[in-house]
């Protein structure tokens, strides 16, 4: 089976090199991996002690960050090596201070896994949420490296739990311990013979709760809002925005902050073209009286978390497409009621918050406008929904302490 898997991986590499000629994102995926081993050789010495964290993309990085920060404090003599699979994670966080070395993860061939392990020689390894690469896991197991899954999330329809999933089940033996989000994930692992499982919860609750304690002041946002009810569209896609343009254009005494998921010039121009109110771009705000504007488009990255602290209502994008719902816990942590699209059933926090009433799921434009109107113009209703959201986040904290307590008991020093 390893032969077939390795053959498919080499075929995938060949195909990706062709697709890279036509796709900027795949080009980053391919080009970014060309110098990984050179970078590792330059930045990690044979005598260095290291701890390896792997995140598929940006969301998994955010989940792993509080663990990374705690591990750095506990083991200050170790270098933290962070790998990403996706360009959307690496390109945004390649300069993060949370790690000493940040690179793409080379494709999961046996040769790559062996070379990576030789250069990094980790004392511990952490995989965030998912991404199970058999060759890397097999090399970790052969080297007896303590390996942990953090914020794991499993579903019955995944290959690991099917009759044909033995190949991946074998790879799972590399994990010293699984820290999963929910009991149903633990039960699934138990059914295939893995009892080294703890239901720790989702580290994102700890992560977003930490944001509350940071300085979230953005004076330009305060000037823009000028005391008005404010709606934030966070990580929005065109499908999300198209449902909201008419409402934005007709709303009275309401300010709108739009932070699109993609910041391409064509996308920003399209948003601008469809909004018929006073609109300003973040990059053009200096020198303007922002209080005179109704809409500000955030055509930059890195400040959406702080912007949510100013929201009265948040719409979080991704729920009308197939790419996946974006992070609803950031606005929820601030006690902000959240609106999302219908495609959210793979996100347990969204399902739970919809059931509890802290999040409103809408299916079309009419439902979107009804939800916005109810939240904007009914203060008590808005406060009630926001209170549910904020309480939900607060009550689900604690995953980081559970994981770190286990790690420190197992590895007082490494």
């Amino acid at each position: 089976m390893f032969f077939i898997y390795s053959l498919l991986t080499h075929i995938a590499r060949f195909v990706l090199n062709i697709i890279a000629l036509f796709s900027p994102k795949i080009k980053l995926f391919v080009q970014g991996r060309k110098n990984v081993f050179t970078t590792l050789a330059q930045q990690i010495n044979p005598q260095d002690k290291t701890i390896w964290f792997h995140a598929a993309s940006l969301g998994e990085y955010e989940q792993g960050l509080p663990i990374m920060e705690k591990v750095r404090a506990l083991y200050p003599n170790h270098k933290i090596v962070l790998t990403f699979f996706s360009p959307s994670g690496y390109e945004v966080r390649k300069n993060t201070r949370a790690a000493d070395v940040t690179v793409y993860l080379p494709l999961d061939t046996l040769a790559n896994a062996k070379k990576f392990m030789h250069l990094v020689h980790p004392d511990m390894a952490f995989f965030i949420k998912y991404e199970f690469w058999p060759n890397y896991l097999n090399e970790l197991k052969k080297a007896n490296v303590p390996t942990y899954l953090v914020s794991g999330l499993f579903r019955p329809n995944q290959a690991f739990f099917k009759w044909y999933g033995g190949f991946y089940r074998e790879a799972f033996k590399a994990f010293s311990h699984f820290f999963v989000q929910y009991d149903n994930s633990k039960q699934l692992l138990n059914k295939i013979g893995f009892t080294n499982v703890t239901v720790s919860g989702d580290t994102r609750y700890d992560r977003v709760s930490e944001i509350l304690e940071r300085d979230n002041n953005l004076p330009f946002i305060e000037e823009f809002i000028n005391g008005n009810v404010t709606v934030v569209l966070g990580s929005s896609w065109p499908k999300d925005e198209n449902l909201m343009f008419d409402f934005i254009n007709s709303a009275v005494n309401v300010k709108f902050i739009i932070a699109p998921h993609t910041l391409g010039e064509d996308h920003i121009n399209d948003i601008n073209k469809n909004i018929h109110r006073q609109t300003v771009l973040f990059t053009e705000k200096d020198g303007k009286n922002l209080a005179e504007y109704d809409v500000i488009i955030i055509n930059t990255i890195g400040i959406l978390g702080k912007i949510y602290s100013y929201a009265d209502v948040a719409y979080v994008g991704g729920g009308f497409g197939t790419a996946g719902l974006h992070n609803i816990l950031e606005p929820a942590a601030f006690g902000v009621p959240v609106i999302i699209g219908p495609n959210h059933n793979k996100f347990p926090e969204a399902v739970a918050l919809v059931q509890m009433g802290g999040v409103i799921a809408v299916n079309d434009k009419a439902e979107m406008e009804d939800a916005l109107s109810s939240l904007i113009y009914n203060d008590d209703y808005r406060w009630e929904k926001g209170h549910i959201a904020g309480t939900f986040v607060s009550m689900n904290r604690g995953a980081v302490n559970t994981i770190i307590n286990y790690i420190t008991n197992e590895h007082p020093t490494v």
Side-chain angles (χ1 to χ4, degrees):
M1 188 63 186
F2 259 103
F3 172 77
I4 296 173
Y5 174 79
S6 296
L7 178 62
L8 291 173
T9 303
H10 284 290
I11 292 172
R13 180 168 58 183
F14 175 76
V15 172
L16 287 167
N17 276 296
I18 295 174
I19 298 174
L21 299 174
F22 310 97
S23 168
K25 184 174 182 178
I26 299 301
K27 184 177 181 180
L28 286 172
F29 181 97
V30 172
Q31 294 290 337
R33 286 171 161 78
K34 288 190 172 180
N35 298 314
V36 167
F37 292 127
T38 300
T39 300
L40 292 173
Q42 291 173 343
Q43 298 191 27
I44 301 174
N45 296 318
Q47 65 272 23
D48 286 339
K49 294 182 176 182
T50 71
I51 297 174
W52 173 28
F53 283 81
H54 175 67
S57 192
L58 188 58
E60 291 71 39
Y61 165 82
E62 294 293 339
Q63 282 182 299
L65 184 57
I67 302 295
M68 251 188 289
E69 291 172 341
K70 293 284 188 181
V71 166
R72 177 183 284 284
L74 286 167
Y75 308 106
N77 296 323
H78 283 70
K79 285 185 175 181
I80 302 296
V81 179
L82 171 64
T83 58
F84 284 100
F85 183 76
S86 166
S88 57
Y90 175 79
E91 296 300 330
V92 175
R93 289 290 181 260
K94 59 187 174 184
N95 296 317
T96 179
R97 295 181 180 179
D100 299 286
V101 185
T102 303
V103 295
Y104 280 100
L105 181 71
L107 290 180
D108 187 33
T109 66
L110 180 59
N112 282 348
K114 286 180 176 294
K115 191 169 185 179
F116 181 90
M117 285 292 295
H118 173 71
L119 292 171
V120 177
H121 48 81
D123 287 325
M124 280 193 286
F126 294 84
F127 285 63
I128 313 302
K129 190 176 180 179
Y130 54 62
E131 285 218 335
F132 308 106
W133 300 111
N135 282 312
Y136 282 103
L137 289 172
N138 194 45
E139 291 303 309
L140 286 165
K141 181 184 175 185
K142 287 198 293 186
N144 293 315
V145 176
T147 302
Y148 301 97
L149 179 68
V150 173
S151 291
L153 189 62
F154 295 96
R155 295 185 298 275
N157 62 350
Q158 290 174 305
F160 327 121
F161 310 110
K162 303 294 186 181
W163 63 267
Y164 51 82
F167 175 64
Y168 278 102
R169 289 195 291 272
E170 185 66 26
F172 276 11
K173 292 180 181 178
F175 285 105
S176 309
H177 206 84
F178 298 84
F179 295 98
V180 297
Q181 296 184 31
Y182 299 101
D183 188 64
N184 56 357
S185 290
K186 178 181 179 179
Q187 291 177 16
L188 286 168
L189 288 169
N190 289 166
K191 285 180 180 178
I192 59 172
F194 294 96
T195 58
N196 52 333
V197 187
T198 297
V199 180
S200 59
D202 189 345
T203 54
R204 285 183 302 165
Y205 292 102
D206 299 271
R207 171 66 178 149
V208 297
S209 296
E210 289 175 2
I211 294 175
L212 301 178
E213 302 169 6
R214 300 181 182 182
D215 181 6
N216 293 302
N217 290 322
L218 293 171
F220 80 93
I221 293 290
E222 294 177 11
E223 179 187 345
F224 166 74
I225 289 173
N226 194 31
N228 290 280
V229 172
T230 302
V231 178
V232 174
L233 282 69
S235 301
S236 59
W237 291 77
K239 286 184 178 180
D240 305 303
E241 295 146 5
N242 289 334
L243 294 173
M244 299 191 71
F245 286 137
D246 286 344
F247 188 91
I248 292 172
N249 289 328
S250 61
V252 178
N253 297 325
V254 183
K255 298 280 185 141
F256 293 89
I257 303 172
I258 304 176
H261 176 67
T262 57
L263 302 179
E265 185 177 351
D266 289 343
H267 185 199
I268 299 299
N269 288 340
D270 187 63
I271 295 172
N272 237 332
K273 180 182 68 177
N274 282 282
I275 294 175
H276 309 312
R277 301 181 67 182
Q278 288 291 96
T279 303
V280 62
L281 299 182
F282 169 84
T283 52
E284 297 176 358
K285 70 183 188 310
D286 293 342
K288 292 182 170 62
N289 181 0
L290 297 179
E292 295 179 351
Y293 290 85
D294 304 303
V295 181
I296 183 168
I297 300 173
I298 308 299
N299 57 338
T300 189
I301 60 173
I303 60 173
L304 178 57
K306 292 186 176 184
I307 289 173
Y308 279 134
S309 70
Y310 291 93
D312 294 294
V313 179
Y315 175 84
V316 175
F320 277 96
T322 58
L325 181 68
H326 292 285
N327 190 351
I328 66 170
L329 296 180
E330 283 189 342
F334 288 107
V336 177
V338 180
I339 303 172
I340 60 174
N343 301 333
H344 61 269
N345 289 331
K346 291 184 178 180
F347 300 85
E349 71 279 7
V351 172
L353 270 168
V354 168
Q355 292 174 345
M356 294 177 67
V359 167
I360 300 172
V362 298
N363 295 293
D364 51 37
K365 179 181 175 183
E367 290 185 9
M368 172 86 77
E369 293 181 346
D370 182 63
L372 285 168
S373 295
S374 298
L375 290 169
I376 290 169
Y377 300 114
N378 187 327
D379 294 346
D380 290 340
Y381 180 73
R382 182 173 69 247
W383 182 88
E384 177 188 355
K385 296 289 186 183
H387 179 69
I388 292 170
T391 301
F392 177 81
V393 172
S394 179
M395 290 178 63
N396 281 281
R397 291 181 297 181
V400 171
N401 285 339
T402 298
I403 295 167
I404 291 300
N405 287 340
Y406 182 95
I407 298 299
T408 52
N409 285 334
E410 291 290 309
H411 311 285
T413 57
V414 290

